C-alpha cells in the first residue's frame, strides 16, 4: 500500500470518554495510518483498546500502528512505531515480518532516518515542526530538512508536532507524505468536526 495521507494518533487523556466514537469519526473522514499511543502501564486495558481499534481499522481498511510496543503489535498482527529509545529496528523487523509497517522517530536528524532506512523502516518521522502539546520538549525541525530528506531517502516521510489545518500546507509543499496529527484532529468539539478535519487534511495531501 502507498503510505500517503492522514496519520491519526490517539491520546488517552484527550479522548477520555469518547475514545472509540472520535476514532471512528476520524476513520470515516479517511485515515491512512492510525497509531494507538497509550503510555499507561494498564496492560489489560491497552490490549482491550488495541483490539477494538484493530477491528475498527479492518472495517475502514486503515492500517493500525502500535506506539513503542512491538510485542503487542506482534500479538495483534499489526504495525509498530519505534522511538529512539526503543533500540535498533532490525529485531522488530525480524519479529513482525517483512510486510509489517514499522515507523521510526528521527527527530530533526537525517542521519537517524538514513539508519532507520537501512534497518528496514517503512517510513521515517521528523518533528516537531510546531509547538506540540504531546511533545513540548522535542527539538524543532526545519522545512530545509524535509527537502534534504526527500532528495536522499526513498521512503515515505512523516511530519509530526503541532500540526493543524492552518499550518500543514508548507509541510506538504516540501514533500511530506504523512501528516501525523493528534490535537489538530481529535481536539474537536464533535465527531462531525473530527470527520470534517480528517477530510480537510486529506484534501491538503490531494488524497
Amino acid at each position: 500500500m502507498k503510505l500517503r495521507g492522514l496519520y491519526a494518533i490517539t491520546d488517552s487523556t484527550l479522548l477520555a470518554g469518547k475514545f472509540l466514537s472520535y476514532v471512528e469519526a476520524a476513520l470515516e473522514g479517511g485515515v491512512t495510518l492510525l497509531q494507538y499511543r497509550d503510555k499507561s502501564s494498564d496492560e489489560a486495558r491497552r490490549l482491550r483498546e488495541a483490539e477494538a481499534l484493530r477491528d475498527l481499522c479492518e472495517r475502514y481498511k486503515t492500517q493500525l500502528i502500535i506506539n513503542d510496543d512491538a510485542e503487542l503489535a506482534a500479538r495483534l498482527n499489526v504495525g509498530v512505531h519505534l522511538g529512539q529509545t526503543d533500540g535498533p529496528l532490525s529485531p522488530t523487523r525480524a519479529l513482525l515480518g517483512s510486510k509489517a509497517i514499522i515507523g521510526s522517530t528521527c527527530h530533526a536528524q537525517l542521519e537517524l532516518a538514513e539508519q532507520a532506512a537501512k534497518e528496514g523502516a517503512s517510513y521515517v518521522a521528523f518533528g516537531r515542526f510546531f509547538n506540540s502539546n504531546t511533545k513540548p520538549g522535542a527539538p524543532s525541525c526545519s522545512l530545509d530538512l524535509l527537502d534534504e530528506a526527500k532528495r536522499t531517502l526513498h521512503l515515505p516521510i512523516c511530519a509530526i508536532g503541532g500540526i493543524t489545518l492552518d499550518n500543514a500546507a508548507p509541510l506538504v509543499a516540501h514533500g511530506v507524505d504523512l501528516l501525523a496529527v493528534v490535537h489538530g484532529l481529535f481536539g474537536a468539539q464533535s465527531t462531525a468536526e473530527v470527520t470534517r478535519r480528517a477530510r480537510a487534511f486529506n484534501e491538503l495531501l490531494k488524497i
Side-chain angles (χ1 to χ4, degrees):
M1 69 167 289
K2 188 162 170 53
L3 292 182
R4 183 171 174 82
L6 176 61
Y7 187 170
I9 300 179
T10 68
D11 178 305
S12 48
T13 307
L14 185 65
L15 292 172
K18 52 192 180 187
F19 187 74
L20 288 178
S21 63
Y22 266 47
V23 168
E24 183 160 12
L27 297 177
E28 189 71 45
V31 172
T32 299
L33 298 178
L34 174 74
Q35 184 185 125
Y36 176 53
R37 185 175 188 274
D38 184 295
K39 297 293 189 180
S40 76
S41 55
D42 186 342
E43 290 191 15
R45 180 174 60 79
R46 290 176 71 244
L47 175 61
R48 195 168 60 244
E49 288 184 346
E51 284 176 335
L53 291 182
R54 180 193 57 187
D55 295 345
L56 259 186
C57 284
E58 282 175 1
R59 202 168 354 132
Y60 284 91
K61 299 189 169 35
T62 296
Q63 298 285 335
L64 178 63
I65 307 289
I66 306 292
N67 179 268
D68 285 352
D69 191 338
E71 286 174 16
L72 179 56
R75 185 167 177 177
L76 297 182
N77 197 26
V78 297
V80 72
H81 183 89
L82 300 175
Q84 283 302 316
T85 56
D86 297 320
L89 192 145
S90 308
T92 302
R93 173 57 73 200
L95 173 69
L96 298 183
S98 60
K99 295 205 169 107
I101 296 174
I102 302 177
S104 177
T105 293
C106 301
H107 300 298
Q109 296 179 51
L110 190 60
E111 303 75 29
L112 293 177
E114 288 168 341
Q115 183 61 33
K118 279 189 199 136
E119 292 184 14
S122 311
Y123 68 87
V124 291
F126 294 108
R128 63 182 171 92
F129 285 90
F130 310 102
N131 288 331
S132 165
N133 291 318
T134 310
K135 294 202 170 179
S140 61
C141 214
S142 71
L143 294 174
D144 291 344
L145 178 73
L146 291 177
D147 295 337
E148 207 176 336
K150 204 72 191 166
R151 278 196 305 274
T152 58
L153 298 169
H154 303 288
L155 279 180
I157 293 168
C158 170
I160 189 167
I163 296 170
T164 68
L165 285 168
D166 294 330
N167 63 26
L171 300 172
V172 177
H174 284 263
V176 161
D177 303 287
L178 292 158
L179 291 170
V181 188
V182 186
H183 289 74
L185 176 66
F186 291 123
Q189 294 302 308
S190 67
T191 52
E193 175 62 9
V194 173
T195 302
R196 185 198 73 78
R197 289 184 187 185
R199 288 186 178 132
F201 276 114
N202 280 321
E203 278 169 25
L204 283 174
L205 286 152
K206 298 185 168 49
I207 300 298

